[in-house]
Amino acid sequence: MTSSRQPPTRAALQRIRRDKVTMTALVVLLLFVVIALLAPLLTKVTGWGPISPDNAAINPDTGNQPYGSLGGISLTHLLGVEPGTGYDLFGRIVYGLRTSLLVGFASALLSTVAGVVAGLAAGYFGGWVDTLLSRIMDVMLAFPQLLFIIALTPVIQNALQTNSHGGTNEKLRLVVLIGNIALFSWAYTARLVRGQVLSLREREFVDAARIMSAGRRHILFRQLLPNLWAPILISFALAVPQNITTEAALSYLGVGVIPPSPDWGALLSDASQFFLQDPMYLFIPGVLLLILVLALNLLGDGIRDALDPRAQRG
């Protein structure tokens, strides 16, 4: 007689597929990812890149405000143009989306990997290793993350960058930004993984591996790690939207991506100066950022609920 009990992975996937909110969030996220990947093609079709000014679209008699209503939205400029510069807002938004997704996912991946390694070591080895790593986690969790990233990012960037032309090296700026966000967020994952490992290392399958003279590497990566993928995945899924909003806040405050490089946080910062004259300039990137972060949060919540063992009853 065969058991009707499904493997946990398959059961979790079925829960996700049945959850309309989670699936909607996934579709929205995939749409954003596709748009970001196709940004060069989309701007080629429209004919306007992220830093291609259209001086004919702004009216110098009104303080370089866009001609027409709704911020200059037209067939030529699908989302209007930036006041003052004449940059095509659609081009800047799709390229800014690439920046937001790159920083969000890369920093989340980096912090998750670092957190998993630290949590595994602390939970499995115990003793002075656990004490040292736990105290480091406590210190990192006590830091006011955003304030220290704001203070540290410009210092590192100024120390490491300026290219041969004396300008800002944007690739290096992004690397520093990703590294700083990951530096102040890995401890959350580490604390979660450590707690799980402390519980798992006393289980029978780990004792059996020790009795059979299995090495530490085998126990860590073949016995413990496969049983940690659910909390690790949940931690990663919830870290991405948090890191995207952190990156947007840093760019808004002028210590992230700096104009004219496209970025949603920088767009919101510039748009706040023109809100009364051109509210669409603030409304469009603000709403899109809200939709992206909301979709990521709902997807993370859906994954967490699907992988929760208590939710598998009934």
Side-chain angles (χ1 to χ4, degrees):
M1 182 176 181
T2 60
S3 174
S4 60
R5 183 180 179 84
Q6 292 181 324
T9 304
R10 181 178 299 178
L13 290 175
Q14 287 187 357
R15 286 181 174 274
I16 291 174
R17 285 197 294 265
R18 290 197 300 263
D19 189 335
K20 294 181 179 179
V21 174
T22 303
M23 290 303 299
T24 301
L26 178 60
V27 170
V28 171
L29 175 60
L30 291 177
L31 179 60
F32 275 110
V33 171
V34 170
I35 291 174
L37 293 175
L38 296 180
L41 178 61
L42 294 174
T43 53
K44 185 176 181 180
V45 171
T46 62
W48 297 98
I51 52 175
S52 301
D54 183 6
N55 295 325
I58 55 178
N59 185 358
D61 297 330
T62 59
N64 290 329
Q65 296 300 312
Y67 282 109
S69 59
L70 300 178
I73 292 178
S74 65
L75 293 178
T76 303
H77 299 285
L78 301 179
L79 297 179
V81 297
E82 285 191 357
T85 64
Y87 292 144
D88 180 68
L89 191 54
F90 176 80
R92 294 186 65 74
I93 283 178
V94 295
Y95 270 90
L97 176 60
R98 302 180 90 186
T99 302
S100 296
L101 291 176
L102 173 63
V103 173
F105 278 93
S107 57
L109 178 62
L110 188 60
S111 65
T112 300
V113 171
V116 168
V117 172
L120 272 174
Y124 180 76
F125 292 107
W128 69 268
V129 176
D130 184 24
T131 300
L132 176 62
L133 290 174
S134 294
R135 296 295 80 77
I136 294 175
M137 293 177 206
D138 292 337
V139 171
M140 297 307 298
L141 291 172
F143 273 105
Q145 177 182 353
L146 188 59
L147 291 179
F148 274 86
I149 295 177
I150 291 172
L152 189 60
T153 299
V155 174
I156 297 177
Q157 290 169 347
N158 292 334
L160 296 180
Q161 59 78 51
T162 61
N163 57 24
S164 59
H165 301 290
T168 302
N169 188 325
E170 289 302 332
K171 290 183 179 179
L172 180 57
R173 182 177 289 275
L174 283 178
V175 170
V176 172
L177 193 59
I178 291 169
N180 279 341
I181 293 175
L183 175 65
F184 288 96
S185 56
W186 64 270
Y188 296 97
T189 302
R191 178 61 60 84
L192 175 64
V193 171
R194 173 186 175 273
Q196 294 291 322
V197 173
L198 287 175
S199 175
L200 289 173
R201 73 179 186 180
E202 306 300 330
R203 300 283 291 274
E204 293 81 0
F205 65 90
V206 177
D207 290 335
R210 291 196 187 101
I211 292 173
M212 297 179 66
S213 301
R216 289 177 175 175
R217 180 179 300 179
H218 175 86
I219 294 175
L220 284 171
F221 296 104
R222 300 296 296 273
Q223 300 295 329
L224 293 176
L225 191 57
N227 289 281
L228 295 170
W229 71 270
I232 291 172
L233 180 59
I234 293 170
S235 178
F236 174 80
L238 296 177
V240 174
Q242 179 181 352
N243 292 350
I244 288 178
T245 54
T246 299
E247 182 274 329
L250 292 172
S251 295
Y252 182 90
L253 296 171
V255 294
V257 178
I258 295 178
S261 299
D263 178 82
W264 286 9
L267 278 176
L268 293 173
S269 178
D270 292 340
S272 62
Q273 308 172 38
F274 299 95
F275 176 70
L276 295 178
Q277 297 83 5
D278 184 6
M280 296 301 294
Y281 184 24
L282 179 65
F283 178 78
I284 293 174
V287 169
L288 289 175
L289 179 61
L290 172 64
I291 293 173
L292 173 61
V293 174
L294 180 61
L296 285 165
N297 278 321
L298 290 176
L299 180 60
D301 289 342
I303 293 174
R304 179 190 59 199
D305 294 342
L307 295 175
D308 186 353
R310 292 171 299 178
Q312 295 183 9
R313 291 177 295 178

